[in-house]
Amino acid sequence: TLNVALNDDKHDLKDYQQVYNDIAQKIREYDEYDEAIGFGPALVRLAWHLSGTFVGPKGCPHFSGGSYGGTIRLPKEAKDPANNALENARWLLDPIKSKYSWISYGDLYTLSGVTAIQELGGPKIKWRPGRKDLGEEYASNSVLPDASRDADYVRGLFVRRMGFTDQETVALIGAHALGSCHIQAPILPGAKESTGPGSGYTGRWTASPNFFTNEFFRLLLEDKWTQKKWSGPVQYQNSDDSLMMLPADLALVEDPAFKKFVQEYAKDQDKYFKDFAAAFQKLLELGIDFKGKREFEFKTLDEQDI
Ligand code: CCH
């Protein structure tokens, strides 16, 4: 784990709930963004790409990636092609960072992922603050997953490198119930042009991309996936070509050990929500020693009658 200490935090649940509420209001305000999907999925991806740079304690004696330093805001990491289109998610959060200048980028970006999961109907995620901003020498590049690869590769990255179990790996990738793939980054509110290229893939995984469900698993098992005929990267389409899967998604049904969990989650949404919540918290805390620190749980806007 990191040999950098947690911020000695003076803020309490009320303060962080306020930040949560501001993020949630932004998601509501811009619900027409990205063909009416809104910003929620982009915030989940931002939190994951900040945290998923963890290379494990063996990777480097002093620093091991992860969410701690909020380094996805810095050019070296922001310009990683794996992070294409995430400038849009940071655009949404910039005004919140200005308003709450005491919060670190790592805390803000991970909290935005928690906010999005909860506001889009997902499970409650326990969250802990204390990350501190670090400079470019700590930024990562080229360590996020390549979507064109197979089950061995996915396992190598999530299980051997980041320390997740097979079950946690499957649970996490189920977040693809949300959002879509983009050839070009979506156009920001008030702008005329895209901010730049996306991943090069196209389409959504589910018919409800702004609602957190176990649909990804059901579709993986129940629809028929064939290779899309186009000039873009290899990806798969369902029977009526309304939905998509990446090669790395299909790896979860090609590998028997992964498939077992896909089947379980397709059948049991409660179990899926419970396992996702634990795995997502673990993802956001990779490389950080939070032992004994307070855990916060936030109310949704609905629960507060906002
Ligand atoms: Fe993912 N993801 N992801 N993903 N992802 C993409 C979009 C989202 C991979 C590839 C891609 C996770 C794991 C993986 C989200 C959450 C998670 C895209 C399209 C690709 C490609 C990006 C674009 O074009 O805008 C691969 C490969 C893996 C693992 O092997 C995990 C883990 C999570 C979260 C827990 C979300 C959400 C999106 C939608 C973003 C949006 O803007 O709609």
Side-chain angles (χ1 to χ4, degrees):
T1 54
L2 286 179
N3 59 9
V4 275
L6 288 174
N7 196 7
D8 184 19
D9 192 37
K10 308 270 185 311
H11 297 273
D12 60 16
L13 176 60
K14 216 170 100 273
D15 300 315
Y16 290 109
Q17 180 75 60
Q18 232 172 42
V19 182
Y20 175 109
N21 287 1
D22 276 26
I23 299 167
Q25 297 276 23
K26 290 270 182 200
I27 296 174
R28 272 197 189 165
E29 179 181 353
Y30 296 116
D31 62 342
E32 289 303 315
Y33 169 75
D34 193 10
E35 299 177 14
I37 294 175
F39 275 94
L43 297 179
V44 174
R45 182 168 166 248
L46 178 71
W48 135 242
H49 276 207
L50 173 65
S51 311
T53 53
F54 183 64
V55 295
K58 287 193 203 112
C60 165
H62 303 297
F63 191 75
S64 47
S67 66
Y68 183 90
T71 44
I72 201 167
R73 75 193 190 281
L74 302 168
K76 178 182 166 195
E77 197 164 321
K79 286 186 164 53
D80 185 337
N83 287 329
N84 281 357
L86 284 177
E87 62 276 11
N88 286 10
R90 295 199 310 279
W91 171 90
L92 187 81
L93 298 174
D94 280 346
I96 297 176
K97 171 67 186 166
S98 306
K99 182 170 169 191
Y100 304 96
S101 56
W102 47 267
I103 199 169
S104 66
Y105 282 99
D107 283 350
L108 177 64
Y109 293 167
T110 53
L111 178 55
S112 83
V114 169
T115 306
I117 295 286
Q118 294 194 175
E119 292 298 311
L120 302 188
K124 291 290 174 84
I125 316 272
K126 294 195 170 67
W127 178 86
R128 293 188 269 205
R131 297 165 188 79
K132 288 186 202 166
D133 295 343
L134 295 175
E136 193 124 47
E137 65 273 30
Y138 295 103
S140 302
N141 196 284
S142 308
V143 294
L144 289 162
D146 174 350
S148 72
R149 302 290 296 276
D150 63 4
D152 280 346
Y153 170 87
V154 172
R155 186 172 283 114
L157 205 134
F158 281 84
V159 178
R160 286 190 289 277
R161 196 191 86 195
M162 292 198 267
F164 290 108
T165 62
D166 277 6
Q167 176 170 12
E168 289 166 334
T169 303
V170 172
L172 285 171
I173 297 174
H176 282 168
L178 298 175
S180 64
C181 295
H182 305 88
I183 295 171
Q184 290 289 316
I187 298 171
L188 284 172
K192 291 210 166 57
E193 285 172 16
S194 165
T195 40
S199 63
Y201 294 97
T202 191
R204 351 178 131 182
W205 289 269
T206 70
S208 52
N210 50 10
F211 207 60
F212 191 87
T213 63
N214 65 344
E215 267 296 283
F216 171 83
F217 301 113
R218 201 186 57 77
L219 288 161
L220 258 181
L221 293 172
E222 291 177 15
D223 223 323
K224 188 169 174 288
W225 299 97
T226 56
Q227 196 175 323
K228 184 179 176 68
K229 292 189 184 64
W230 73 324
S231 57
V234 173
Q235 66 170 72
Y236 295 83
Q237 64 185 47
N238 68 341
S239 33
D240 65 1
D241 194 14
S242 57
L243 303 173
M244 67 92 61
M245 289 284 169
L246 299 164
D249 296 317
L250 285 186
L252 301 183
V253 283
E254 284 156 10
D255 179 280
F258 282 149
K259 190 175 178 183
K260 204 180 88 187
F261 299 113
V262 173
Q263 288 166 325
E264 187 180 3
Y265 294 148
K267 276 200 289 262
D268 190 343
Q269 169 143 292
D270 289 348
K271 173 82 165 96
Y272 176 51
F273 274 30
K274 200 170 146 276
D275 287 357
F276 179 83
F280 196 64
Q281 181 184 6
K282 178 169 167 179
L283 172 68
L284 304 188
E285 299 187 350
L286 285 177
I288 309 172
D289 185 4
F290 276 110
K291 253 190 241 59
K293 296 283 171 190
R294 305 169 292 175
E295 285 182 332
F296 294 120
E297 193 177 292
F298 300 102
K299 291 200 165 76
T300 62
L301 292 185
D302 282 350
E303 286 169 335
Q304 301 166 78
D305 292 321
I306 298 177

